[in-house]
Amino acid sequence: MKVTMDARDAGYEDSFRLFVESRSAALLRTAVLLSGGDRHAAEDLLQNALVKALGRWHRIDEPEAYVRQVLYRQQIGRWRLKWRRREVSVSVPPEAGAAEDGAAAAELRVVLRAALGRLTARQRTVLVLRYFEDLPEAEVASLLGCSVGTVRSTTHRSLARLRTLAPELAALAPEMDEPVHPRPVEVGP
């Protein structure tokens, strides 16, 4: 699909290119998480979102928010399709040994990505929005077109399934055993 710009939109072409150059890496990371670690599907997801943004570029006030919302909504559309999900093969991370500083973090990323890939698209999307994008429950509910209660219950079930699918995450990231909703902090007199 070739998108052409007329003379009045030519001024927006440079700003779009700058946006893509500066933000595409971060947007691709989000798309990879949304697609369960499938980089090819993530690249397709991001490309489609950018094509949609290009067509409306001159009317978009917050480009990154717009592109992210398109990513989320496209992913929602994918999980609503009746297609069967293909099995994604992942490699087993190496045994933990005398690790360097970055080795534990890298191992955690590998295990987490593999575990996210085994969740349903809906579960994965809710976890990515809540914890990777750090969005509040109300905003996640708004983006996904559901209630806050649905976001809460899906988050709870998704984290429980994540712990079941990858118990090694507890050893790599002990904070995962903390409750989903932290206790309120008491403020002294």
Side-chain angles (χ1 to χ4, degrees):
M1 173 180 178
K2 184 177 180 182
V3 178
T4 59
M5 302 181 96
D6 59 17
R8 65 186 160 92
D9 292 334
Y12 295 106
E13 186 175 356
D14 290 335
S15 68
F16 180 76
R17 284 190 181 151
L18 287 173
F19 172 77
V20 171
E21 288 172 5
S22 65
R23 299 305 304 153
S24 62
L27 293 168
L28 182 60
R29 282 191 299 271
T30 300
V32 167
L33 290 172
L34 288 171
S35 65
D38 184 347
R39 186 168 176 92
H40 297 293
E43 289 170 350
D44 289 344
L45 191 65
L46 180 57
Q47 181 177 352
N48 290 338
L50 290 173
V51 166
K52 286 184 179 187
L54 178 60
R56 303 175 143 289
W57 193 253
H58 62 283
R59 294 185 302 240
I60 298 174
D61 293 329
E62 296 181 38
E64 185 159 353
Y66 179 86
V67 171
R68 286 182 184 277
Q69 186 165 15
V70 171
L71 284 173
Y72 308 145
R73 291 183 186 261
Q74 283 183 337
Q75 184 61 26
I76 290 168
R78 287 182 179 187
W79 92 49
R80 287 183 179 158
L81 293 175
K82 298 292 184 194
W83 296 349
R84 290 186 164 231
R85 185 169 171 246
R86 293 183 310 185
E87 191 70 30
V88 178
S89 62
V90 293
S91 63
V92 177
E95 299 235 354
E100 299 175 18
D101 292 340
E107 184 177 358
L108 176 61
R109 283 192 305 271
V110 168
V111 172
L112 185 58
R113 181 174 285 170
L116 283 172
R118 291 183 277 175
L119 295 175
T120 66
R122 181 183 188 110
Q123 291 172 327
R124 185 172 48 249
T125 301
V126 168
L127 290 181
V128 168
L129 291 174
R130 284 286 293 129
Y131 298 105
F132 182 75
E133 296 291 326
D134 199 27
L135 297 178
E137 291 169 338
E139 193 170 340
V140 173
S142 174
L143 282 170
L144 300 181
C146 63
S147 70
V148 173
T150 300
V151 171
R152 286 181 183 155
S153 62
T154 302
T155 301
H156 178 75
R157 284 192 307 272
S158 302
L159 288 174
R161 184 152 186 244
L162 196 62
R163 288 183 188 106
T164 302
L165 291 172
E168 62 272 22
L169 284 174
L172 294 172
E175 64 273 6
M176 281 195 63
D177 286 331
E178 295 175 8
V180 174
H181 304 288
R183 295 183 190 120
V185 177
E186 294 182 21
V187 179

